[in-house]
């Protein structure tokens, strides 16, 4: 079967110069790396995954993940392994911990370009990659240490390999075998969901195509063997060393979380508004263009590539919508096809609403309307930030005010330039540049996220080898990472509950306050991390007056004996 031709190019007022692609690539690298050192690892996800990787590296154990040095089996290890590798090369720092999601974002952008060029023309491909790179959800998670960006990269690689294998008779087996390797890496990233999603997308596409004969070459024995060779060894090893692993990993972390979770329960329609918001400002651009939805092609005229992208996005969003447990980050793998579909829709609509010859005095609806929206939003940000700063409505305002004002000014300037754009190409460029600068200003203020790095650094600098670090009730993920020490948890074990029940962990998990009160009265120095309000409640019971040495956010660090 030969590759299908891309849809016929639609005139969009000007060709794209050859220098645009390398300039855009350089801009993406700068935008996604300049802020890696800004802000501590955010609670809970970034700090958690960085600490797991640090502990596995410290223990020289690539099989059994631990968090605060107790077993942690909620997720497979690929992101931990990659982070360990980065730590071993560049050192254990915040910015190194974020290299894995950045690399995953870059890989996804490259794969989106590759499949976009096979499905659509150069204009749609470039605009689609721009849409993806400047989508707020993709931009944020592409610089945040979670598992979602890596799962997205693995799923994208899987489906790109399928698409090329399906349309290439000569190299079909090679692409299908690469597909199996990619989906195996997805399993090592986040578990069986990688197989479920990729399999559902491929089967749905073959159903639409009514091409059941294509299933036979898909079931390539060597490809299946490669999948087993990549995905299974870790599961076999971790299960042999930890008999409790399989039941917890399969039943608790997948079946129960999908059917009857204890947290993150939302409505069936939870993800839909976040799809629109996550594609800003491009979803807004389609909304403000006149007659935009009426001129889009009917379903019966869609190309196979458009069907593939629609099914790809629909399966991801639909699957997680059916799940009882929902987080915004889950739908990230749907954004590569959504970006290409958005670009194709923009191409079709612009060809209908823009005159064939756009002159200096002609009206460009995209630039004029988006420019007005950008200008309004920009002034709202500047004025709103100024008023909030004067009124001091929240302690966090002074910290975000610089980013808010810079972003507002950028939006006002971009809005003015967009309204003066004489062609859709220039309008799109202004919108992309302005929005990108806004996202950069926002990510530069990431230090306002919930983190306790400074508390950890103070303890790390002053705690001796015989001192104990104690966290009261609310586990702080970043404390072991920044103190480089194992901590004692008093009550509130949370996600450490499973690990705390494996072996005798009583020395580091104190169920009752009585253990804390006894230790506080002893000669051992305790560094107690506690909420300010809880400290006031606990203070009358402490035999020695607590000495505050550091505070950050709602938490304070107190000691029972003066520091030498």
């Amino acid at each position: 079967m030969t590759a299908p031709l891309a849809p016929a190019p639609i005139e969009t007022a000007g060709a794209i110069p050859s220098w645009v692609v390398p300039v855009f690539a350089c801009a993406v690298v700068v935008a996604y790396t300049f802020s890696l050192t800004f802000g501590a690892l955010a609670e809970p996800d970034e700090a958690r995954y960085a600490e797991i990787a640090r502990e596995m590296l410290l223990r020289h154990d690539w099989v059994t993940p631990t968090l605060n040095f107790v077993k942690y089996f909620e997720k497979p290890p690929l992101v931990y392994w990659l982070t360990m590798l980065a730590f071993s090369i560049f050192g254990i720092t915040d910015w190194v911990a974020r290299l894995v999601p950045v690399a995953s974002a870059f890989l996804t952008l490259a794969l989106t370009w590759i499949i976009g060029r096979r499905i659509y023309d150069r204009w749609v491909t470039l605009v689609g990659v721009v849409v993806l790179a400047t989508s707020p959800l993709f931009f944020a998670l592409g610089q945040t240490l979670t598992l979602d960006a890596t799962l997205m990269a693995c799923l994208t690689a899987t489906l790109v390999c399928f698409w090329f294998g399906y349309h290439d008779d000569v190299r079909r087996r090679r692409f299908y075998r690469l597909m199996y390797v990619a989906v195996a890496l997805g399993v090592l990233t986040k578990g069986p969901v990688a197989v479920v999603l990729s399999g559902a997308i491929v089967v749905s596409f073959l159903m639409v195509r009514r091409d059941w004969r294509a299933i036979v070459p898909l079931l390539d024995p060597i490809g299946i063997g490669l999948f087993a060779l990549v995905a299974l060894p870790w599961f076999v090893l971790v299960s042999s060393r930890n008999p409790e692993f399989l039941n917890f990993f399969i039943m608790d972390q997948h079946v129960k979380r999908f059917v009857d979770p204890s947290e993150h329960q939302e409505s069936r329609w939870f993800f839909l508004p976040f799809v629109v918001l996550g594609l800003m400002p491009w979803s807004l651009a389609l909304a403000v263009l006149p007659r935009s939805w009426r001129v889009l092609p009917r379903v019966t005229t869609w190309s196979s590539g458009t069907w593939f992208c629609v099914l790809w996005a629909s399966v991801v969003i639909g699957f997680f919508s059916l799940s009882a447990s929902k987080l915004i980050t889950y739908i990230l793998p749907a954004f590569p096809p959504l970006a290409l579909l958005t670009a194709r829709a923009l191409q079709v609509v612009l060809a209908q609403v823009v005159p064939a010859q756009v002159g200096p005095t002609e009206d460009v609806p995209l630039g004029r309307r988006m420019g007005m929206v950008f200008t309004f939003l920009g002034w709202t940000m500047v004025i709103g930030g100024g008023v909030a700063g004067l009124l001091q409505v929240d302690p966090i305002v002074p910290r975000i005010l610089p980013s808010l004002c810079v972003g507002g000014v950028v939006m006002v300037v971009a809005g003015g330039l967009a309204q003066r754009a004489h062609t859709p190409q220039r309008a799109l460029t202004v919108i992309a540049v302005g929005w990108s600068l806004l996202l950069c200003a926002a990510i530069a203020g990431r230090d306002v996220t919930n983190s306790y790095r400074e508390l950890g650094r103070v303890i790390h600098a002053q705690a001796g080898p015989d001192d104990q670090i104690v966290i009261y009730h609310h586990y702080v993920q970043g404390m072991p990472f920044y103190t480089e020490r194992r901590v004692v948890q008093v009550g509130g074990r949370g996600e450490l509950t499973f690990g705390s029940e494996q072996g005798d962990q009583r020395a580091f998990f104190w169920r009752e306050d009585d253990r804390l009160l006894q230790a506080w009265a002893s000669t051992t120095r305790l560094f107690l991390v506690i909420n300010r309000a809880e400290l006031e409640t606990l203070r009358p019971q402490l035999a020695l007056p607590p000495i505050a040495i550091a505070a950050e956010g709602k938490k304070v660090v107190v000691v029972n004996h003066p520091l030498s």
Side-chain angles (χ1 to χ4, degrees):
M1 183 180 297
T2 58
L5 295 175
I10 297 175
E11 179 58 45
T12 47
I16 299 174
S18 59
W19 55 265
V20 169
V21 174
V23 169
F24 168 68
C26 292
V28 167
V29 171
V30 172
Y32 277 72
T33 57
F34 87 97
S35 69
L36 292 184
T37 59
F38 296 178
L41 296 174
E43 295 278 339
D45 291 341
E46 284 196 303
R48 176 200 303 122
Y49 296 132
E51 175 58 14
I52 293 172
R54 187 189 75 85
E55 290 180 18
M56 293 180 75
L57 183 64
L58 183 66
R59 296 183 300 106
H60 304 289
D61 186 348
W62 290 69
V63 176
T64 303
T66 62
L67 179 59
N68 197 32
F69 295 92
V70 297
K71 295 176 181 179
Y72 186 85
F73 292 145
E74 293 197 8
K75 299 294 185 293
L78 182 60
V79 170
Y80 310 151
W81 289 345
L82 295 174
T83 308
M84 288 168 63
L85 182 61
F87 282 161
S88 64
I89 296 173
F90 301 106
I92 301 175
T93 63
D94 295 341
W95 73 268
V96 174
R98 292 170 174 144
L99 288 179
V100 173
V102 170
S104 299
F106 289 164
L107 176 59
T108 303
L109 290 170
L111 290 169
T112 303
W113 173 273
I114 291 170
I115 195 169
R117 288 295 287 126
R118 190 63 175 256
I119 294 176
Y120 297 117
D121 60 24
R122 189 168 182 265
W123 192 95
V124 170
T125 302
L126 178 59
V127 173
V129 175
V130 170
V131 169
L132 183 60
T134 57
S135 297
L137 188 64
F138 182 92
F139 186 85
L141 293 178
Q143 302 174 60
T144 303
L145 180 56
T146 66
L147 310 183
D148 302 283
T150 306
L151 176 64
M152 170 185 63
C154 293
L155 185 62
T156 304
T158 300
L159 296 173
V160 169
C161 290
F162 163 75
W163 184 258
F164 275 76
Y166 181 72
H167 294 104
D168 192 329
D169 294 334
V170 176
R171 295 176 294 176
R172 174 173 296 155
R173 289 183 178 179
R174 183 184 306 173
F175 283 120
Y176 281 172
R177 289 165 187 174
L178 288 174
M179 176 190 71
Y180 276 105
V181 172
V183 75
L185 293 175
V187 170
L188 286 174
T189 300
K190 216 168 181 179
V193 67
V195 175
V196 173
L197 291 177
S198 56
I201 293 166
V202 169
V203 170
S204 298
F205 177 74
L206 295 180
M207 287 177 62
V208 170
R209 297 278 294 175
R210 298 180 181 178
D211 189 3
W212 303 113
R213 291 178 298 176
I215 294 179
V216 175
L218 267 173
L219 301 176
D220 179 68
I222 295 179
I224 295 172
L226 288 172
F227 171 86
L229 185 64
V230 173
L232 295 185
W234 177 78
F235 287 94
V236 173
L237 282 173
V238 74
S239 299
S240 64
R241 296 185 186 182
N242 308 275
E244 67 278 7
F245 166 77
L246 276 180
N247 182 69
F248 178 79
F249 182 77
I250 300 296
M251 297 305 300
D252 287 35
Q253 294 304 308
H254 288 82
V255 177
K256 290 183 181 178
R257 180 166 289 189
F258 189 89
V259 177
D260 186 24
S262 59
E263 56 184 358
H264 310 314
Q265 298 184 43
E266 304 290 347
S267 72
R268 294 288 186 217
W269 312 107
F270 172 74
F271 291 117
L272 295 185
F274 293 106
V275 171
V276 177
L277 293 174
L279 285 170
M280 288 282 285
W282 311 104
S283 53
L284 181 62
L286 282 173
V288 301
L289 282 168
R291 306 186 306 277
S292 58
W293 301 109
R294 284 180 288 173
V295 300
L296 292 179
R298 295 183 178 181
V299 173
T300 54
T301 65
W302 288 357
S303 67
S304 62
T306 296
W307 267 112
F308 187 63
C309 290
V310 168
L311 293 169
W312 177 349
S314 300
V315 167
V316 172
I317 297 170
F319 174 80
F320 288 116
S321 295
L322 292 175
S323 172
S325 176
K326 297 179 179 66
L327 286 174
I328 299 170
T329 58
Y330 291 173
I331 59 170
L332 185 64
F335 274 68
L338 286 174
L340 289 173
L341 291 171
T342 301
R344 176 61 175 169
L346 281 171
Q347 184 186 51
V348 173
V349 173
L350 287 174
Q352 297 293 326
V353 302
V354 178
Q357 299 295 327
V358 181
T361 60
E362 297 285 352
D363 177 32
V364 180
L366 178 65
R368 179 171 57 84
R369 299 187 182 193
M370 287 299 292
M372 293 172 64
V373 172
F374 269 40
T375 301
F376 173 77
L377 292 177
W379 281 117
T380 300
M381 292 167 62
V382 172
I383 296 172
V387 171
L390 291 174
L391 297 178
Q392 298 183 349
V393 294
D394 193 286
I396 203 175
V397 170
R399 299 171 62 187
I400 66 172
L401 198 56
S403 295
L404 195 63
C405 290
V406 170
V409 171
V410 166
M411 292 288 279
V412 170
V413 173
L417 293 175
Q419 291 183 69
R420 292 171 174 79
H422 298 320
T423 66
Q425 301 281 32
R426 293 182 181 179
L428 285 170
T429 302
V430 170
I431 292 168
V433 172
W435 190 258
S436 299
L437 293 175
L438 174 65
L439 293 177
C440 289
I443 203 74
R446 71 194 304 169
D447 61 334
V448 302
T449 56
N450 183 29
S451 66
Y452 298 101
R453 176 173 61 183
E454 297 311 313
L455 296 186
R457 287 179 172 177
V458 168
I459 296 173
H460 178 263
Q462 302 193 42
D466 297 324
D467 298 339
Q468 281 189 310
I469 304 167
V470 180
I471 301 177
Y472 188 75
H473 284 192
H474 309 284
Y475 180 65
V476 181
Q477 299 280 358
M479 204 53 59
F481 183 81
Y482 289 115
T483 62
E484 300 179 17
R485 296 270 292 271
R486 186 176 183 181
V487 302
V488 174
Q489 181 67 30
V490 181
R493 292 173 293 168
E495 61 188 319
L496 296 180
T497 299
F498 172 81
S500 69
E501 295 170 348
Q502 309 305 311
D504 187 359
Q505 306 292 341
R506 288 175 295 177
F508 291 93
F509 290 91
W510 300 349
R511 295 179 180 273
E512 306 296 338
D513 288 0
D514 291 346
R515 289 281 304 272
L516 171 62
L517 298 177
Q518 293 172 8
W520 189 265
S522 70
T523 57
T524 301
R525 180 184 291 113
L526 265 61
F527 288 78
L528 177 62
V529 182
I530 186 171
N531 286 357
R532 300 170 193 263
E534 291 177 322
L535 176 61
E536 296 309 311
T537 302
L538 189 65
R539 188 187 297 271
Q541 304 176 58
L542 298 176
L544 300 173
I547 304 169
I549 62 170
E552 188 174 9
K554 62 183 179 182
K555 293 194 181 292
V556 62
V557 178
V558 295
V559 294
N560 56 345
H561 296 291
L563 300 174
S564 57

